[in-house]
Structures are given as C-alpha cells and as structure tokens.
Amino acid sequence: MPLITASGLSVSFAELDVFEGISLEISERARVGIVGPNGQGKTTLLETLVGDMAPRSGSVRRNRGLSIGYVPQTTRNMDAETLGEEVMKAFSEITRIEGEIALSAAAIERADEDGRRDAERRYSDMLEAYEAAGGYDYENRLERVIAGVGLKMETLDVPVDEASGGQRTRASLAKALLAEPHLLILDEPTNYLDFDGLSWLEGFLRRTSHAFVVVSHDRYFLDQVATEIWEINHGKLTTYKGNYSKYRHLKAERERRQQTEYVRQQQFINKQEDFIERYRAGQRSREALGREKRLNRMERIEAVKSDKTISLGTASATRTGRVVLTTHGLEVGFHEHGRPVKLLDIEDLALERSSRTAIIGPNGIGKTTFLHTVLGDESALAGSASLGHNVRIGFQRQGTYDLPEHRSVLDAIIDVKNLTPHDARTYLGRFLFSGDDVYKTVSVLSGGERTRLALARLLLEEPNFLVLDEPTTHLDISSREALEQVLLQYEGALLFVSHDRALISLLATRLLIVEDGRMGLFNGTFEEWAKTREESAVRVVVRPKKKGRSKGSPARRTTPATSQPAPIDYEEIIADLEGRLARIESRLQGATQRQDVEAIAKLGKEYNRVQGELETTWEKWSS
C-alpha cells in the first residue's frame, strides 16, 4: 500500500499556476529524487505532500499513523532552547520511558510486600519497552548521526537563537534521521554538508529500509541514492525509473521521440488544413468538413519546451606567464586577541596557466581563508604567495558579498564595463535577466539571481586566472551544466573550492586536498583520488594482525564461523561502478567538445576498464 497518494494536485500563487493536475504515489520503499529548474514548484510540492500547504484543487491521502520526517530547505522556527534539545525530540519516546523507569524504581522502594510484585512487573515491562525502543543504543546513534551531518557534540549546547542557519539545518536533518520515520522528505539536504557528510548521508540513505523523497541539484548525490527521478517542469510532473544519469538518458530519448512525433503531426495538420481551405466551398466540401471535424478532435502533441539556461559563450582570457601562482612555506589563519591562530600549512605550489585545480576538504577548515590569503586580501601567518606575470584575477566570493546592493541589476553591469543600456540588457539576457528583471535592486535578488549576476560581472572583465568559491551555490542543474560548459572552454587558469562532485569530476585535473591541518597537492582527477582513498580505507580494514599475543593474554581459538569473511555487498559495488561510469561519460563529452584527443583516449580506456569491472560484478552477483 502506498504511504502517500496524491490526485489532481494544482497549486497557484495569485494569478500564477505553479503546477496543475499532478498525481503520484510514494511507495513503502521509495527512493525518489526530485529535479527541475528553480521556481518550478519542487518545494511547493513537498509542502503540499506533508500538509503545510493546501492545494487549490486535488487531494492528498496519507496512511493512518504515517510518520514523516520533513527537513525544509530553510529551517523553521525551533521552539527548543538549544540545538541539543531540538535533536533530542527524536528520542521523545525513549526519554518518556526513561521517566517511567525512574518512577517504577521509586515505586519498588516505597511498595509494601503486597504491592512490590506489581511494581517490579511494571519495572520489568518498562525495561523491555526501553530495549525495544532502542534505549540502550540511542546515545551511540546520536553521536554517529551528529558527526555524520557535520556537527560536533559540543555544538548541541549552542542556543538556537545563536546558531547559524547551517547549524540549525544540520540539527533538523539529524533529528529527522534519528527519529526513523516511515517517510523522509528532504529539501536540498546537501547544501551544508562537506565531502564526508555527503558520503555519510549517501550511505545512510542506501542502507535505510524506510522510504525517502529528496529534492536536490547534486547530480552525484542523486546518482548514488535515487532509484526513481521525478522531474517538475512547466507545471507538469514526469517520472523516470533509475538514477539521475539514467533519467538524463531516458529524458533525451523521450524528447527526441516527442519532437519527431510533433513534427510529423504538424506536417499532417498542414496538409489537412491546405485540403480544407482548398475544397471548403467546392464539390468536395463535405469531405473537407469531415476532415476539419477530425482535425478539431485530434489530440495535439506539444513541441518540446526548452528550459532557459545561462548562455555565456566562450570565456576568453589573455595570456599569462607559465606560472600563475606560487607559494613558499605558506601558513594561513587569522589573529585572535592579537595572537595568531593557524588553520593550514600549505605545501609549496606552482600552478601553471591553463591548469584546473579544485580545493576539497571539510567545512570550516580554512579553504576560503587560503583563497583570500593567496589573492592578497588577508596576510599570511608565515611564508609567501605570489602571482605570476600579467595575471588578471577574477574572484567570485562565496555568498557574492561584493555586489552593489543598492544599485539596479542593469547598473551593476554598466559599472563594470561602460556598455550602452542596449548592449548591457542583451548581455544580461544571456544570464536569464529579461524584461523588468534588469531594473530590480540587487538587494532583493534571490540567491540564484545573485550568483548569476556575480558571474555576469566577473566574466565581463575577462580574467585570465579565475578563482571561484562554491560557484554552483543556488544554481539549478541546467545552470550548473551551462556553467560547466563555459569553464571547460575557459582558456585561463582555474582554481575553485566546491563540494559539487560532478563539477569537480568534469573540470579538475588536479586537487588540493585539505586534511589534518595541511593542504597538499594530488596530481590527478577526482575519480583517481576517490579510488586511492577507497583503497587506503580497505587496507586499513583488512590490515593483518601481528602474530603472537601480548604477554599474559589468554590463547583464543578461532572457530570456522568467526573466521569466515564478511559477505560482499554487490549492490553497493554495482552502484559505485555505475556512478563512476556516468562521471567518466560526462567528462568524455567535455573532452570531445574541446577536442582534447589525449584526454579522450585516456578516458576511453578508463571507461572500458570500469565497464568491464561492472560486467564482471554483475556476473558474480547473479551466479
């Protein structure tokens, strides 16, 4: 039986229809990813499903007793005093039973001989209920989930009113995961997670036996967790079986088929209309009238609607010297109460022109501070960083804080380069600012609009060393992919911080890894680094024990049962290989577009190797 069934859902705001006539079912084992351009109603659909918004028409039926863990994109007001109290709401039943156990224990102490037996029975029942509710393990679960979503245990003591938006969102996510509801509904859960947090959440969702529906622009994430994709676009919901990569393939096939059928039908309609017009008043008027009636009853096929995306063209760059950035003995950090606080030691670097380098590592560890230091916005604690000959920096800050808040969008472009209003409007149109949008004040722009405007201003200056701090924040998938195509054609050096693994996989040819207070260079792609990391983790897990035993320790006999290896999780291996194939295919497309023969050959060999591993794994699993 479905957990939720919706029929004929329509939602409008004022005169604007958000979506219309949507029907859907969420099954008990659903693994649904929802995608679509910004502003098409993804969040509105979630709010309608959980009951926070009433549809204009249609109905939503939820199973009786259904528990839903809903984590919105923007955290709602919390009525708890601290983050810890908010998270502990997930264990309300356990804490209630703990109270009952304490009361039962006190009742045993007070009871006379006749009442003691009843009090002890009550106490025993409460202990069984406590065990059944997971009471003996909930503190361990709490620690694992808190660490997984990127919080520290001490953060739970932070008052809700003083917590950042990211902390509140991660606390809400932890509460939802710990409550183990029948259905998880998550709206952009990856926004505040770093690599470790993303990997942990992916593993959690793959292992859970409960259903989940997740809105996300993270393509890599959707490839890992979703087995069904729902696309909301142009007011309609279309469903596709498979993960995100499979959805892209199926959608392209469907659109090609639809467009072919549309063209064929239009040709047929034109011929029929010509006949009707020619013979309407002649001897064949009866036949013409019959054709006209049939034409009016015909179900019309719609032309494929293309989404508006950023259209940037080629981002040109003037030539620099061979090396654009060097560091020597660099230490970055900040000063607190007059004393230096070191965040990172930086391996000596020499980034060359046309290099593409991604910086990856946990949140709050110093990546942005490193960027500000090498660009001269902040002082180094030790060592030096210098730019090469003829380097012109283009720096997009995280959060786009350098926008002129009180100027119009049009003025914000003209301020950068003295364009005519007509040319400025034409340029802004390529970044999806059309009509009266260009007269909006910057301060009222949405997050996605601010990101697009920052990119427009940045690329207008034609930098030859592009430095980006989380460039895909607030961009939907189509805009992310448009940005990727521009950056693939960019001729200058590229240095960027990102948690968007699809972006990193496609663009980066080397990585700066931040770990244990140090930033070091990995001279390879994201896939190569991830594979190296996985192999290292495996070596740690299967590291052989030292022979012999410590003095005084008893000899242990290993039974055949305990010496057997753990079963191989073929499903997880297959999912990982399929995800790697999708990422290699994406990079192959980029290499083909830029006609990089060497990269095409290298990626082609890698694709064949991974494809072979996948086929072998399928055979082992099915045997």
Side-chain angles (χ1 to χ4, degrees):
M1 177 181 289
L3 301 177
I4 292 181
T5 303
S7 178
L9 289 183
S10 299
V11 172
S12 301
F13 294 135
E15 301 284 326
L16 179 66
D17 289 333
V18 180
F19 51 75
E20 187 173 5
I22 284 180
S23 298
L24 56 86
E25 286 186 351
I26 301 176
S27 66
E28 292 181 346
R29 293 300 304 272
R31 271 106 174 88
V32 176
I34 300 182
V35 301
N38 287 335
Q40 293 293 315
K42 300 186 295 295
T43 294
T44 301
L45 178 62
L46 297 189
E47 292 174 342
T48 305
L49 294 178
V50 301
D52 286 355
M53 179 176 292
R56 187 191 77 228
S57 61
S59 62
V60 178
R61 183 168 104 45
R62 305 171 193 87
N63 278 3
R64 183 176 298 177
L66 175 67
S67 59
I68 299 176
Y70 175 42
V71 182
Q73 189 174 157
T74 303
T75 308
R76 302 164 174 172
N77 293 330
M78 296 178 172
D79 54 12
E81 291 189 6
T82 66
L83 293 178
E85 289 180 9
E86 181 68 20
V87 173
M88 284 300 294
K89 291 178 182 178
F91 300 119
S92 57
E93 178 63 12
I94 290 176
T95 54
R96 184 192 68 78
I97 296 173
E98 284 180 338
E100 293 287 342
I101 290 173
L103 291 175
S104 299
I108 292 173
E109 294 295 327
R110 294 194 306 268
D112 56 22
E113 189 173 340
D114 292 335
R116 186 178 182 86
R117 183 172 298 172
D118 289 339
E120 288 177 342
R121 186 180 300 112
R122 171 68 175 167
Y123 182 78
S124 177
D125 290 344
M126 287 296 98
L127 287 179
E128 289 181 7
Y130 188 70
E131 182 177 8
Y136 294 116
D137 186 49
Y138 85 92
E139 291 183 345
N140 289 332
R141 287 175 52 218
L142 173 66
E143 291 182 3
R144 290 197 300 269
V145 172
I146 288 298
V149 300
L151 290 174
K152 296 179 180 178
M153 291 301 292
E154 52 266 31
T155 311
L156 299 183
D157 296 327
V158 174
V160 166
D161 293 340
E162 298 176 13
S164 67
Q167 288 174 329
R168 288 196 296 269
T169 299
R170 290 194 290 268
S172 295
L173 178 59
K175 181 180 73 171
L177 299 179
L178 287 165
E180 295 187 340
H182 301 120
L183 173 62
L184 270 171
I185 296 184
L186 311 177
D187 195 355
E188 292 287 0
T190 65
N191 279 354
Y192 295 98
L193 299 180
D194 56 25
F195 280 112
D196 290 337
L198 288 168
S199 297
W200 180 87
L201 181 60
E202 288 165 356
F204 181 96
L205 293 177
R206 284 199 299 263
R207 291 189 300 270
T208 185
S209 59
H210 301 291
F212 63 81
V213 175
V214 55
V215 169
S216 183
H217 294 308
D218 189 326
R219 295 153 290 174
Y220 194 110
F221 176 75
L222 291 172
D223 266 343
Q224 297 298 311
V225 303
T227 59
E228 186 175 359
I229 298 294
W230 295 356
E231 180 191 61
I232 299 182
N233 203 359
H234 303 296
K236 303 296 182 184
L237 176 71
T238 308
T239 63
Y240 299 85
K241 292 294 183 184
N243 61 12
Y244 179 80
S245 295
K246 184 68 172 178
Y247 144 76
R248 288 298 303 270
H249 176 70
L250 293 176
K251 180 185 178 182
E253 283 188 346
R254 182 184 66 81
E255 289 185 341
R256 281 196 295 270
R257 186 166 57 250
Q258 179 181 337
Q259 190 63 21
T260 299
E261 292 172 356
Y262 168 78
V263 170
R264 187 179 299 135
Q265 187 183 69
Q266 288 300 304
Q267 292 171 345
F268 174 79
I269 290 171
N270 290 336
K271 288 181 180 178
Q272 297 304 306
E273 288 177 341
D274 287 345
F275 182 92
I276 293 166
E277 187 65 27
R278 184 180 307 167
Y279 298 109
R280 185 187 299 274
Q283 292 181 346
R284 303 178 68 179
S285 61
R286 202 169 196 178
E287 184 180 353
L289 181 60
R291 292 194 184 196
E292 185 174 32
K293 287 180 179 179
R294 287 194 295 274
L295 209 57
N296 290 337
R297 291 196 299 266
M298 178 184 292
E299 184 176 348
R300 301 297 175 103
I301 299 171
E302 293 184 355
V304 174
K305 296 178 181 178
S306 59
D307 298 325
K308 289 168 54 177
T309 62
I310 298 175
S311 175
L312 306 179
T314 302
S316 58
T318 56
R319 190 172 178 83
T320 66
R322 186 179 65 84
V323 177
V324 296
L325 173 67
T326 56
T327 69
H328 295 286
L330 185 63
E331 296 178 6
V332 302
F334 58 93
H335 286 81
E336 187 174 59
H337 306 303
R339 301 183 64 181
V341 178
K342 183 169 70 172
L343 294 175
L344 293 174
D345 283 310
I346 312 299
E347 176 184 322
D348 287 352
L349 303 173
L351 301 186
E352 299 179 348
R353 64 168 176 258
S354 302
S355 60
R356 301 171 181 274
T357 309
I359 304 173
I360 63 177
N363 288 330
I365 204 168
K367 301 187 298 294
T368 295
T369 303
F370 166 74
L371 294 184
H372 284 281
T373 302
V374 298
L375 297 181
D377 295 338
E378 295 184 15
S379 299
L381 298 185
S384 64
S386 58
L387 299 175
H389 172 68
N390 200 32
V391 169
R392 293 179 57 191
I393 296 291
F395 181 30
Q396 184 190 343
R397 302 170 187 271
Q398 187 174 359
T400 63
Y401 298 119
D402 55 351
L403 293 174
E405 298 293 329
H406 302 296
R407 304 279 282 171
S408 71
V409 171
L410 186 62
D411 290 336
I413 288 296
I414 295 175
D415 288 347
V416 175
K417 193 171 185 178
N418 190 22
L419 300 174
T420 66
H422 177 268
D423 288 343
R425 292 191 63 151
T426 300
Y427 181 72
L428 283 167
R430 294 159 61 189
F431 292 83
L432 312 187
F433 292 101
S434 58
D436 291 340
D437 289 345
V438 301
Y439 299 115
K440 284 183 179 179
T441 303
V442 171
S443 59
V444 304
L445 297 180
S446 68
E449 288 172 329
R450 293 172 68 86
T451 301
R452 297 202 308 269
L453 179 59
L455 283 170
R457 284 164 51 91
L458 185 65
L459 294 175
L460 199 59
E461 297 176 344
E462 298 186 356
N464 52 29
F465 183 21
L466 202 53
V467 181
L468 309 175
D469 196 356
E470 298 289 359
T472 57
T473 301
H474 303 301
L475 293 182
D476 58 27
I477 290 176
S478 59
S479 293
R480 292 181 185 210
E481 291 175 343
L483 173 64
E484 288 169 354
Q485 294 310 308
V486 171
L487 296 179
L488 280 170
Q489 300 171 46
Y490 178 65
E491 298 169 353
L494 178 63
L495 176 65
F496 64 102
V497 172
S498 182
H499 292 121
D500 186 335
R501 292 163 294 177
L503 178 80
I504 297 169
S505 296
L506 185 62
L507 295 179
T509 56
R510 59 176 63 182
L511 309 173
L512 286 174
I513 310 297
V514 181
E515 200 170 31
D516 298 327
R518 179 172 174 77
M519 178 184 287
L521 181 66
F522 179 84
N523 200 12
T525 65
F526 178 77
E527 285 81 7
E528 291 167 342
W529 172 74
K531 183 178 180 181
T532 301
R533 196 182 188 201
E534 290 170 5
E535 290 173 349
S536 298
V538 170
R539 283 196 294 271
V540 170
V541 171
V542 302
R543 184 176 61 244
K545 296 179 180 179
K546 294 180 180 179
K547 292 184 179 181
R549 62 183 188 275
S550 58
K551 187 176 181 180
S553 63
R556 290 183 58 185
R557 193 182 203 173
T558 303
T559 64
T562 60
S563 62
Q564 290 178 352
I568 299 174
D569 189 347
Y570 285 110
E571 287 187 357
E572 187 167 347
I573 296 172
I574 288 169
D576 176 66
L577 289 170
E578 288 177 337
R580 285 165 60 187
L581 273 180
R583 294 191 294 276
I584 294 169
E585 186 175 355
S586 178
R587 295 184 64 220
L588 263 171
Q589 292 175 358
T592 302
Q593 289 178 356
R594 64 178 187 271
Q595 298 181 350
D596 188 341
V597 177
E598 184 178 347
I600 291 171
K602 181 179 179 182
L603 290 168
K605 290 180 181 178
E606 179 69 2
Y607 185 96
N608 292 334
R609 186 185 64 77
V610 176
Q611 179 71 40
E613 288 183 27
L614 179 61
E615 292 173 357
T616 301
T617 306
W618 272 110
E619 290 173 2
K620 289 180 179 178
W621 190 32
S622 58
S623 61

